Amino acid sequence: MYSLVETAKENRLHPFYYLTYLLEKLPQLSNPQDPEALDMLLPWSPSLPIICRVFSSTK
């Protein structure tokens, strides 16, 4: 769990919303071993919803 949270932070994701998204989507996968389906859930995936992303107010 710690690794997921820290990886989410490193990829500029809000850990709470990212973990919530994962816990909602993982049980819905028809084939949890499908690499393409899992790639869409990785913290660096551009397909993650906007709510998971953290935007800096500086710069």
Side-chain angles (χ1 to χ4, degrees):
M1 189 60 84
Y2 181 78
S3 178
L4 282 172
V5 168
E6 290 303 312
T7 304
K9 287 196 246 178
E10 285 296 316
N11 285 276
R12 300 188 65 215
L13 299 177
H14 190 288
F16 176 80
Y17 294 120
Y18 176 62
L19 291 175
T20 301
Y21 180 74
L22 283 182
L23 293 173
E24 289 173 353
K25 293 297 179 182
L26 282 170
Q28 296 176 16
L29 293 178
S30 59
N31 180 6
Q33 295 180 354
D34 176 15
E36 289 181 20
L38 292 174
D39 281 348
M40 295 179 69
L41 299 175
L42 293 174
W44 47 84
S45 172
S47 67
L48 292 175
I50 195 83
I51 193 165
C52 293
R53 305 211 179 274
V54 174
F55 294 101
S56 174
S57 59
T58 60
K59 292 186 183 179

